[in-house]
Amino acid sequence: ERGVWSLCVSCVSSGAAAGPRLNNNQLYKFSYTTEVLLDKPSGSKEGSAGYRISSDVHANLVWRDPSNKDDQLIQLAVSNVRIEPVSDRPEKKNVLHGATTESILGKNNLDALTKPFFLHLKSGKTKAIYSYWAEPATIKNLKRGLASLLQLQLNTGKVIENDVSGRCTVEYKAVKGQVTRTKILETCQTAEPGFTTHSKVLGVSRESSSVTVFTLDDGFIRSAVAEESHSVAVNTRSSTAAKVVSRQTLTLLGKESGPAEAAGKDVSAVVKSIDAKLAAVGIAAEKVKSECKGCPSLFEHWQAEQKQLEPTSLSKATAPRSFLALIQSIRKASKDEILKVLKSASKTSLPQVVDAVTSSQTPASLDAMLQFLNFTDAKGLVLQERFLYACGFASHPSERVLQALLVRKIGSTDIKESVVIIMGALVHKLCLKGECDLPTVVQVKKMILEGPDSTKVESEVQMYLLALKNSLLPEAIPIFTKYAESEVGAYSTIALTALQRYDVGLMTSEVKRTVNRVYHQNLRIYEKNVRAAAADVILSSNPSYMEVKNLLLSIGHLPHEMNKYMLSKIQDIIRFNTPASKVMQQAMKDMISHNYDRFAKVGSSSAFSGFMAQSADMTSTYSLDILYSGSGILRRSNMNIYGASKGSVLHGLQVAIEAQGLESLIAATPDEGEEDLESFAGMSALLFDVQLRPVTFFKGYSDLMSKMFSMTGEPMNVVKGLILLSDHSEVIQLQSGLRASVEFQGGLAIDISGGMEISLWYRESKTSVNNRGALVVSGNVTVDMDFLKAGLEVSFETESSLDFITTVQFSEYPFLVCMQMDKTTFPVSERLTKYESLSSGKSVVSRKGRKFLIPGSEFPLHQENSNMCKRVFDSSW
């Protein structure tokens, strides 16, 4: 406590009062009200949910230190308690109609609230509160809220204070007859643990303020008016927001003669003489355990929701809504209750239950999953992978999850790969939380950093490289730099795409030299898609004038389709105004770099970026890059979606389809450096900054031929399930002693599939990426006093689908390519629910909502593509 006073800007002169002083033999009579209001940030007091508690408060001096007039023990007695709505309401909308204070609070609570308590005030600061431990925590917190309002410093300055809401820095401004106390809320230290999503794009923002104005009369409080407000909003949609306002008003009504001071050498002796049961209960608020009376058990809740979690419902908003509700129930449940649900779920709904249990991220939910899943069983791949992906997307993972994955014995090779890849994502998230030095994190970091050089098995090297790509460890940059120059194309591609994810500041001159060597083939010949990936790294890493000039000069000396791809890439950078645009335009002023011959190359490969959506809260962009081999068969297709909000960027989706070694199918000549490639086609997905295990369509000539004749054209599923996108939970301890619980969650039901068809008869190929999704974001703010509860729920939901289809006709050169990116019309609905309820079960609920449609569209690509599509569809007739 001594450190508190050193922060005072100006010191109190000898003899002057440091805080309010009470006179002996006087009874001070106050009126006191505290109210809490819940609404949207733009809401009015009239429409808010909430309540007001009014009372009389009598204060008198019990004891003063003879040597220090500012060291006082004050008795506070609350009486005439009234509980009312925050504004006038019609009878039907008034949950308190017909109720008395005693019927609402209960006799025990009312007796406890009106029992006098004692405040030890020294130099205007609360040193201790004396009350009874047996009193309910809610009542003690209300008393602490009243005591906190009497804490006052009469001079200007900054100080650290302890009050009911924690230990905070407070700024006082004293002007004649008035003192303003501003609490700097972001400095408050509280014992309440909370958590939030690591990504700002998926997270929420809170704006808070707390100001108390004291009016003084001869150095004593005539009135104190405190107003505290907290607004919580979803970053990507600020209209999905809630606000809690807490007000306290203390007004001096008058004084009359009162009891005399008690004798005693110190505070504790005086308190003991009043009542031996009185105890120093602390100024900081106590945790209040709210019991849900009449709430369904987890199993009952599951039975009510299970239909919404069947696969057929996964593209509807009801699925993520049920998913979020189930997570809230699971977070309160024991391991045995969770296991009961897992064991009773139908085979079709079980994967979705695994998503919900894993996303709950409680010790009980993790224990239940580890007991339920048998990782030694190679047949349980679907459930094991769903568990792993949910771990990877976790909003606030713990070291224990990483520990559990590290010691599992695993039966399936695919699952072993997924475990290691997801471990990389967990390392990244734990490091973001400042937990990079935890023993298990250190162990896993060592394993994945040493992994690529510890094995000669190609799939294992790829697995470790993908884990490092997820981890974004700065220590992995030299490893990626080394593997960028690998003779194995798959290693180079992973290494280069990983380097592109790092902050530009980490791209050293050594890294840049290596990437330029790969693109310009200074040491060896590389596959086209490796060179294209190297070009992407160069162009996204603040390229120098010479780097850009050398790229421009290379056009014309590249394989046919790569010439066209690089031209398209450069035009896209200039048109889309990316960071490299300026230096690109400078380099193009040089006529040797920028001449007609170089910029008139024909081909079908392309690169294009555009806006999907733009609002004040968020910008969403997409990019489509397609590279073909000289024979007209797809080499690489890359679709990306990014979201940017609050100065942060989220890589929402990447779906890359790669194919190689297919020239023999149409008796075509492979491009330079690709003569000996094995036939292969596969798909890789990155979702919400987490790289998933790649999927293989076929590998090897015999596998290709068997697939060719059995191809149904049905797309292969890449990822399907429910994801907890955003997850924010906190308890805001209000200065009044009331507590606001804030929960914001976002759930996404997603189904991403991709496919590739080749028709030798029609000399046509088709690749498709289909994305289906339903999103629900829900925010809940509750002020629960056990006997009285007020709450507000805001939600936003939508359903959408996005298809990306590429059709190629390779019967002539340049072959015809048509790309289509379609977004269907999708519904959006917003809801606002306010509720107030009593412990008796009586409640009042008001609901508002609106629904609207956002029309579908075909996203614009370059004009050349539009012309090609006309020709493709004309010829197909």
Side-chain angles (χ1 to χ4, degrees):
E1 295 292 331
R2 282 181 189 145
V4 167
W5 315 116
S6 61
L7 275 170
C8 273
V9 176
S10 59
C11 296
V12 182
S13 59
S14 181
R21 287 179 184 171
L22 278 73
N23 294 325
N24 187 20
N25 294 319
Q26 290 240 292
L27 184 70
Y28 295 79
K29 291 183 160 185
F30 293 92
S31 70
Y32 174 62
T33 65
T34 179
E35 61 183 25
V36 63
L37 300 94
L38 300 165
D39 207 341
K40 294 200 80 171
S42 56
S44 64
K45 182 173 178 176
E46 288 68 37
S48 298
Y51 42 83
R52 181 190 302 123
I53 303 171
S54 308
S55 68
D56 297 335
V57 174
H58 290 178
N60 64 278
L61 182 70
V62 175
W63 173 88
R64 190 195 310 273
D65 184 341
S67 62
N68 181 356
K69 289 184 177 178
D70 285 316
D71 190 356
Q72 311 162 92
L73 182 68
I74 300 161
Q75 175 175 293
L76 295 166
V78 174
S79 60
N80 190 22
V81 181
R82 300 164 315 278
I83 299 178
E84 306 148 326
V86 280
S87 59
D88 290 334
R89 310 245 170 115
E91 200 177 296
K92 276 186 180 175
K93 292 189 177 179
N94 182 2
V95 76
L96 300 169
H97 179 75
T100 63
T101 303
E102 190 172 316
S103 71
I104 298 164
L105 281 171
K107 190 174 186 312
N108 288 349
N109 282 328
L110 185 57
D111 287 349
L113 185 57
T114 52
K115 202 166 197 176
F117 65 106
F118 299 85
L119 169 65
H120 181 196
L121 209 59
K122 189 172 183 180
S123 302
K125 309 295 173 193
T126 303
K127 301 300 289 178
I129 293 174
Y130 295 92
S131 194
Y132 300 91
W133 279 121
E135 289 175 351
T138 305
I139 300 300
K140 288 205 288 288
N141 285 346
L142 286 172
K143 288 181 173 182
R144 291 177 175 116
L146 171 58
S148 295
L149 197 57
L150 293 167
Q151 191 157 243
L152 168 64
Q153 179 177 302
L154 298 179
N155 57 306
T156 296
K158 252 188 191 181
V159 65
I160 294 172
E161 281 185 359
N162 294 306
D163 73 2
V164 66
S165 50
R167 187 172 172 81
C168 313
T169 302
V170 177
E171 191 167 5
Y172 283 93
K173 281 192 180 161
V175 184
K176 196 177 177 185
Q178 188 174 295
V179 175
T180 303
R181 178 176 74 191
T182 304
K183 195 183 289 184
I184 302 163
L185 290 164
E186 58 270 24
T187 66
C188 291
Q189 295 170 11
T190 62
E192 286 286 354
F195 52 79
T196 195
T197 304
H198 73 281
S199 163
K200 273 190 187 171
V201 178
L202 298 173
V204 302
S205 294
R206 171 147 75 94
E207 287 183 12
S208 301
S209 67
S210 173
V211 178
T212 308
V213 178
F214 296 92
T215 309
L216 305 176
D217 191 357
D218 197 22
F220 191 72
I221 298 169
R222 195 171 75 214
S223 72
V225 178
E227 178 155 327
E228 178 180 1
S229 77
H230 303 270
S231 291
V232 184
V234 174
N235 287 340
T236 52
R237 193 177 179 86
S238 57
S239 59
T240 304
K243 185 176 184 178
V244 54
V245 176
S246 169
R247 294 195 185 102
Q248 288 171 281
T249 308
L250 185 72
T251 309
L252 182 65
L253 300 175
K255 301 179 224 175
E256 59 183 54
S257 61
E261 268 185 63
K265 59 177 178 134
D266 58 22
V267 169
S268 54
V270 174
V271 169
K272 210 168 187 181
S273 70
I274 295 167
D275 186 344
K277 287 183 181 172
L278 280 166
V281 293
I283 181 74
E286 271 175 70
K287 288 185 183 181
V288 179
K289 284 185 181 175
S290 56
E291 286 181 29
C292 193
K293 299 174 184 80
C295 285
S297 67
L298 173 60
F299 190 72
E300 288 165 339
H301 189 171
W302 156 242
Q303 286 178 312
E305 302 283 2
Q306 62 180 337
K307 273 189 184 169
Q308 312 305 334
L309 294 177
E310 290 291 347
T312 48
S313 302
L314 277 186
S315 57
K316 299 186 184 81
T318 49
R321 204 184 310 144
S322 294
F323 169 69
L324 294 179
L326 200 58
I327 284 173
Q328 293 296 353
S329 283
I330 294 167
R331 283 182 170 165
K332 300 181 190 101
S334 67
K335 180 180 106 172
D336 290 341
E337 287 176 292
I338 297 167
L339 278 168
K340 187 180 177 185
V341 170
L342 285 163
K343 288 171 181 173
S344 69
S346 65
K347 194 177 178 182
T348 49
S349 67
L350 186 53
Q352 289 71 258
V353 180
V354 168
D355 292 337
V357 173
T358 313
S359 300
S360 300
Q361 299 169 76
T362 64
S365 67
L366 178 60
D367 289 342
M369 283 311 312
L370 295 174
Q371 188 173 321
F372 181 73
L373 293 175
N374 176 10
F375 279 89
T376 56
D377 177 13
K379 291 174 187 164
L381 190 130
V382 172
L383 295 180
Q384 291 166 27
E385 196 136 70
R386 289 286 273 265
F387 165 71
L388 292 169
Y389 286 172
C391 287
F393 297 130
S395 52
H396 52 284
S398 65
E399 183 190 16
R400 223 179 129 238
V401 182
L402 202 56
Q403 218 166 14
L405 295 180
L406 197 58
V407 298
R408 292 292 112 186
K409 284 185 178 171
I410 297 158
S412 154
T413 312
D414 284 350
I415 292 300
K416 186 192 171 187
E417 287 177 16
S418 281
V419 165
V420 176
I421 292 167
I422 292 303
M423 274 184 179
L426 289 168
V427 163
H428 175 57
K429 288 185 179 181
L430 288 163
C431 286
L432 283 177
K433 283 168 68 184
E435 296 175 358
C436 227
D437 297 325
L438 292 174
T440 315
V441 180
V442 171
Q443 194 181 345
V444 173
K445 274 163 60 177
K446 186 174 186 292
M447 179 187 86
I448 60 176
L449 285 164
E450 293 174 357
D453 291 340
S454 70
T455 176
K456 294 280 184 280
V457 180
E458 197 172 309
S459 61
E460 288 182 5
V461 176
Q462 287 190 50
M463 166 186 84
Y464 286 118
L465 288 173
L466 289 168
L468 288 170
K469 181 180 176 181
N470 267 340
S471 76
L472 281 179
L473 290 167
E475 308 96 291
I477 291 175
I479 298 169
F480 289 133
T481 307
K482 172 188 161 185
Y483 277 89
E485 295 190 278
S486 167
E487 291 178 24
V488 181
Y491 299 172
S492 302
T493 307
I494 295 169
L496 290 162
T497 54
L499 287 171
Q500 208 177 342
R501 296 188 71 199
Y502 281 93
D503 186 82
V504 176
L506 294 170
M507 294 292 107
T508 61
S509 54
E510 173 55 33
V511 176
K512 287 190 165 198
R513 277 198 298 273
T514 303
V515 177
N516 276 282
R517 272 201 306 269
V518 172
Y519 176 78
H520 294 290
Q521 303 192 121
N522 299 135
L523 299 181
R524 70 165 64 90
I525 289 170
Y526 291 94
E527 300 163 32
K528 280 194 306 299
N529 58 325
V530 171
R531 296 181 73 188
D536 290 344
V537 178
I538 295 165
L539 293 169
S540 63
S541 305
N542 287 347
S544 66
Y545 175 82
M546 280 313 294
E547 282 180 304
V548 171
K549 188 175 176 182
N550 286 334
L551 276 181
L552 290 170
L553 290 170
S554 73
I555 297 170
H557 304 288
L558 305 168
H560 264 327
E561 281 299 322
M562 190 149 176
N563 278 325
K564 184 70 173 97
Y565 174 80
M566 287 305 297
L567 275 176
S568 191
K569 193 88 188 162
I570 286 158
Q571 286 157 349
D572 188 52
I573 284 169
I574 292 168
R575 185 189 58 79
F576 205 58
N577 203 17
T578 68
S581 298
K582 252 185 195 171
V583 69
M584 186 71 73
Q585 283 165 326
Q586 277 179 316
M588 285 177 74
K589 286 176 184 170
D590 172 25
M591 294 314 291
I592 298 170
S593 311
H594 181 205
N595 61 40
Y596 177 78
D597 177 55
R598 211 179 289 287
F599 273 69
K601 298 295 176 191
V602 294
S604 305
S605 299
S606 66
F608 189 83
S609 304
F611 288 102
M612 290 190 81
Q614 283 176 290
S615 71
D617 301 318
M618 185 186 184
T619 300
S620 177
T621 58
Y622 67 91
S623 69
L624 295 172
D625 293 3
I626 296 203
L627 177 64
Y628 292 95
S629 67
S631 58
I633 289 180
L634 175 80
R635 192 69 180 82
R636 185 184 80 163
S637 147
N638 203 346
M639 170 189 176
N640 289 282
I641 296 174
Y642 294 91
S645 178
K646 299 280 178 186
S648 288
V649 178
L650 174 76
H651 199 165
L653 176 67
Q654 179 185 71
V655 180
I657 294 179
E658 287 211 11
Q660 65 179 42
L662 304 184
E663 283 75 14
S664 58
L665 283 176
I666 55 168
T669 309
D671 289 344
E672 181 190 37
E674 302 185 357
E675 297 87 354
D676 303 319
L677 293 179
E678 183 182 31
S679 300
F680 167 82
M683 183 165 167
S684 169
L686 183 143
L687 196 57
F688 303 112
D689 278 335
V690 178
Q691 168 74 53
L692 307 179
R693 181 179 61 82
V695 172
T696 300
F697 295 150
F698 53 79
K699 188 169 185 177
Y701 191 75
S702 58
D703 187 26
L704 161 64
M705 294 318 289
S706 67
K707 295 268 172 67
M708 285 285 292
F709 292 110
S710 63
M711 264 188 190
T712 59
E714 286 298 309
M716 185 185 273
N717 186 264
V718 181
V719 61
K720 185 174 191 164
L722 290 152
I723 299 170
L724 184 62
L725 271 193
S726 48
D727 194 11
H728 178 89
S729 175
E730 65 176 323
V731 172
I732 301 172
Q733 180 58 58
L734 304 170
Q735 191 183 283
S736 61
L738 299 172
R739 294 150 53 88
S741 298
V742 180
E743 297 275 344
F744 270 75
Q745 271 89 31
L748 177 73
I750 194 162
D751 185 350
I752 299 174
S753 53
M756 185 173 182
E757 294 174 65
I758 299 172
S759 166
L760 298 181
W761 184 259
Y762 292 106
R763 296 183 82 74
E764 184 176 278
S765 76
K766 190 178 266 189
T767 54
S768 63
V769 177
N770 313 104
N771 304 282
R772 303 276 175 278
L775 171 71
V776 172
V777 178
S778 172
N780 212 316
V781 181
T782 315
V783 177
D784 188 354
M785 286 175 65
D786 286 343
F787 45 81
L788 182 55
K789 184 177 181 178
L792 171 82
E793 187 175 308
V794 285
S795 72
F796 154 74
E797 55 190 55
T798 184
E799 297 163 6
S800 179
S801 73
L802 181 70
D803 294 326
F804 172 45
I805 298 160
T806 311
T807 308
V808 185
Q809 291 179 351
F810 45 84
S811 52
E812 57 183 282
Y813 191 86
F815 32 85
L816 300 177
V817 179
C818 169
M819 292 185 288
Q820 295 160 285
M821 191 165 160
D822 298 334
K823 179 181 73 176
T824 57
T825 294
F826 59 95
V828 175
S829 71
E830 293 175 328
R831 291 191 182 96
L832 171 65
T833 306
K834 298 173 199 173
Y835 54 91
E836 293 161 348
S837 63
L838 300 176
S839 56
S840 62
K842 185 182 176 185
S843 64
V844 169
V845 180
S846 76
R847 290 186 177 90
K848 277 184 189 171
R850 69 180 187 123
K851 292 184 179 182
F852 53 95
L853 293 173
I854 293 180
S857 62
E858 187 165 324
F859 284 104
L861 299 168
H862 36 74
Q863 186 57 47
E864 202 177 328
N865 181 64
S866 304
N867 299 339
M868 282 239 202
C869 286
K870 281 177 192 161
R871 289 178 62 193
V872 166
F873 290 116
D874 285 348
S875 65
S876 62
W877 284 96

